[in-house]
């Protein structure tokens, strides 16, 4: 996502001819987009994206379980009783 943001910023600066970016080659200005594509290809093929999704789902699941235990007055996963 950082590469995409950097690419959009460089593209806007080049288009509006702001600062030293106006003198840069288009290859340099558009290179962050190529890096973003390479990053997304690697992240998808290596399973990085899927692992992050699973981690997020596990955190949400544990938070939901802890919230329900807290509402019932039971100990949560961190071993502490809820405060009253």
């Amino acid at each position: 996502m950082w590469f995409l943001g950097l690419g959009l910023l460089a593209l806007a600066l080049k288009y509006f001819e702001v600062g030293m970016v106006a003198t840069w080659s288009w290859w340099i200005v558009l290179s962050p987009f190529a890096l973003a594509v390479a990053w997304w290809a690697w992240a998808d093929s290596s399973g990085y994206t899927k692992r992050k999704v699973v981690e997020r789902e596990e955190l949400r699941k544990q938070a939901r379980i802890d919230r329900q235990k807290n509402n019932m007055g039971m100990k949560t996963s961190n071993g502490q009783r809820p405060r009253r």
Side-chain angles (χ1 to χ4, degrees):
M1 196 64 172
W2 290 100
F3 289 129
L4 187 60
L6 182 64
L8 290 173
L9 178 65
L11 186 64
L13 291 174
K14 175 75 172 173
Y15 181 76
F16 293 114
E17 298 179 355
V18 176
M20 65 183 210
V21 179
T23 61
W24 291 356
S25 167
W26 277 104
W27 290 105
I28 295 171
V29 172
L30 297 177
S31 63
F33 294 112
L35 292 173
V37 169
W39 166 257
W40 285 327
W42 174 82
D44 287 342
S45 66
S46 70
Y48 177 80
T49 306
K50 185 65 175 174
R51 276 193 309 272
K52 289 298 179 180
V53 168
V54 169
E55 287 174 8
R56 226 177 5 250
E57 288 174 355
E58 288 297 321
L59 287 173
R60 288 180 59 217
K61 178 182 172 183
Q62 192 59 51
R64 186 177 62 243
I65 290 170
D66 290 344
R67 192 172 52 248
Q68 290 173 352
K69 284 183 177 182
N70 190 16
N71 289 340
M72 293 189 312
M74 299 172 62
K75 290 184 180 180
T76 59
S77 64
N78 60 8
Q80 296 178 354
R81 295 200 63 115
R83 295 183 186 176
R84 291 190 179 237

